[in-house]
Amino acid sequence: MRVLVTGGAGFIGANFVHQTVAERPDTQVTVLDALTYAGNPTSLAPLGDAVTLVQGDVADTGLVDRLVTETDLVVHFAAESHNDNSLEDPFPFVRTNLVGTFTLLEAVRRHGVRYHHISTDEVYGDLELDDPGRFTEDTPYNPSSPYSSTKAGSDLLVRAWVRSFGIQATLSNCSNNYGPYQHVEKFIPRQITNVLSGIRPKLYGQGHNVRDWIHVEDHNTAVWTIIDKGRPGETYLIGADGEMDNRSVVEMILELTGRPADAYDLVADRPGHDLRYAIDSTKLRTELGWTPRYPSFHDGLAATVDWYRTHQDWWQADKAAVEARYARTGQ
Ligand code: NAD
Ligand code: TDX
């Protein structure tokens, strides 16, 4: 099988490519990635010739059309992905997440190619801290940020192309990922690399916001499960019951790195900051039989701390610029 992975030089896409090469030797992988600030070709370097990397834009109609004719399956990870950036400059989010998805949908429609759409639980908005409920596939869309609204819009495009044009597509909405190759702008790698650089971790607001953490390898086994066994046109939520408030995550990083539990700073909150996300993944587990490989967040986080400790050459080049940008917003 030939698979085209968009955004395969980014965090989740690169992990997906590594997993695919290791566990599916009959699959031929091509990556389409614009190599923005978030795309890092060295994440794919260990795979050598096993992967073909095409540098290009998912909104480039001609390039996308050609690549789609040469594949059996498109897995669409490429996106502008960071909420904080979307508050500073939303335009790249509209262009890549909406126009880029539209461009891919038109190509798979023309050529009858199977498509899997990667999305986020943020399309559902947020939950109260004491709400006993969790997001399900039936929760109404209610996105808060420029990032999550463009992801919500891209999901709706996919659903419309399924209904109106009969494209063969599935969708997944996953909770917060952590693991190797995640850009240091994101919460967990930022705090790990802060500690490794002698900087105190930075918590927005009071650190009470809750995220539902899943190891990136578990996200990707779920994606393959949906591609293999999911029903066309269906949406599946992906989550591993990993709810935790941000302060507890920072305390765990401090414990894993041998620092005092209170060695962090409270900084300016994110405007419009979603309070809590939580995923009910019953449909994926009961209908498709998926279970996570990393049931313990503490073990997964310990492995991630080790990865950043032993891969300083992968993240050092980005660290100073990221911290300078956060300093401008008092974060
Ligand atoms: P990332 O920012 O690490 O990677 C995005 C990749 O897309 C980069 O390699 C970048 O170069 C590439 N890209 C950006 N614009 C492009 C364009 N116009 N054309 C081609 N390539 C382009 O993001 P990530 O965290 O790996 O997220 C991947 C996908 O998973 C996104 O769709 C995101 O919405 C979704 N998602 C992420 C999380 C999470 O916790 N990180 C959770 C749920 C869903
Ligand atoms: O320095 C920080 N301090 C802090 O307290 C940073 C960078 C973040 N935070 C908080 C904000 C959030 O409550 O940590 C939480 C996680 O922040 P991010 O890593 O920016 O993730 P989030 O905004 O939750 O979105 C992530 O999960 C869903 C991904 O970036 C999205 O791409 C995905 O869709």
Side-chain angles (χ1 to χ4, degrees):
M1 184 203 256
R2 298 166 301 172
V3 54
L4 178 65
V5 181
T6 73
F11 164 46
I12 306 175
N15 279 281
F16 181 83
V17 172
H18 277 267
Q19 188 179 106
T20 302
V21 169
E23 299 180 14
R24 295 181 167 244
D26 294 338
T27 305
Q28 203 179 304
V29 182
T30 300
V31 167
L32 171 61
D33 198 298
L35 302 180
T36 68
Y37 80 94
N40 190 339
T42 65
S43 303
L44 300 173
L47 301 173
D49 294 341
V51 174
T52 304
L53 172 60
V54 178
Q55 181 172 2
D57 187 340
V58 287
D60 178 339
T61 307
L63 174 63
V64 165
D65 193 80
R66 176 174 68 76
L67 292 173
V68 167
T69 61
E70 295 167 1
T71 196
D72 305 302
L73 164 70
V74 174
V75 188
H76 178 35
F77 290 94
E80 287 291 337
S81 69
H82 194 36
N83 276 300
D84 291 324
N85 295 344
S86 82
L87 297 167
E88 261 184 40
D89 182 12
F91 181 66
F93 291 75
V94 171
R95 192 179 171 283
T96 291
N97 301 358
L98 289 168
V99 182
T101 299
F102 162 78
T103 306
L104 283 161
L105 290 172
E106 284 291 83
V108 300
R109 169 158 90 103
R110 275 192 295 276
H111 301 294
V113 169
R114 172 86 168 82
Y115 174 88
H116 182 76
H117 185 72
I118 302 292
S119 192
T120 168
D121 59 358
E122 295 190 23
V123 298
Y124 300 114
D126 61 354
L127 298 161
E128 294 297 326
L129 292 178
D130 59 356
D131 187 335
R134 299 192 287 174
F135 300 137
T136 74
E137 288 77 3
D138 298 322
T139 303
Y141 275 37
N142 187 27
S144 311
S145 73
Y147 162 68
S148 55
S149 63
T150 58
K151 292 298 291 185
S154 73
D155 293 9
L156 298 182
L157 291 176
V158 180
R159 290 179 182 197
W161 262 242
V162 168
R163 169 126 180 196
S164 298
F165 304 123
I167 66 164
Q168 293 295 300
T170 41
L171 301 90
S172 53
N173 296 77
C174 188
S175 59
N176 283 62
N177 286 220
Y178 71 98
Y181 300 114
Q182 187 169 27
H183 197 275
V184 291
E185 70 187 354
K186 302 294 195 318
F187 177 56
I188 286 182
R190 183 182 184 206
Q191 312 316 334
I192 294 172
T193 57
N194 272 0
V195 173
L196 296 177
S197 310
I199 305 170
R200 285 159 69 93
K202 310 292 179 203
L203 276 170
Y204 294 174
Q206 296 299 310
H208 294 322
N209 301 62
V210 170
R211 296 294 181 264
D212 188 353
W213 294 101
I214 182 172
H215 194 278
V216 62
E217 195 176 321
D218 287 331
H219 181 175
N220 287 326
T221 59
V223 168
W224 269 119
T225 300
I226 296 163
I227 292 166
D228 287 340
K229 300 198 259 179
R231 284 182 286 137
E234 289 289 311
T235 292
Y236 296 87
L237 263 54
I238 305 174
D241 300 330
E243 270 190 77
M244 190 165 298
D245 66 44
N246 293 336
R247 189 187 291 242
S248 302
V249 174
V250 160
E251 285 170 356
M252 214 179 264
I253 290 169
L254 290 166
E255 176 247 311
L256 287 165
T257 50
R259 307 299 200 275
D262 61 353
Y264 58 79
D265 296 330
L266 299 178
V267 296
D269 207 352
R270 170 185 288 172
H273 196 174
D274 278 342
L275 208 45
R276 169 175 163 246
Y277 307 137
I279 288 270
D280 178 346
S281 58
T282 304
K283 178 177 176 183
L284 173 67
R285 291 171 191 250
T286 55
E287 199 178 288
L288 307 186
W290 174 83
T291 48
R293 293 176 180 175
Y294 281 85
S296 155
F297 176 70
H298 186 271
D299 292 354
L301 188 62
T304 305
V305 169
D306 279 346
W307 191 88
Y308 281 91
R309 194 185 272 128
T310 52
H311 291 77
Q312 306 218 3
D313 52 339
W314 184 86
W315 55 265
Q316 277 291 0
D318 295 322
K319 183 68 181 166
V322 165
E323 289 309 314
R325 201 193 65 225
Y326 279 125
R328 288 203 301 275
T329 50
Q331 293 173 318

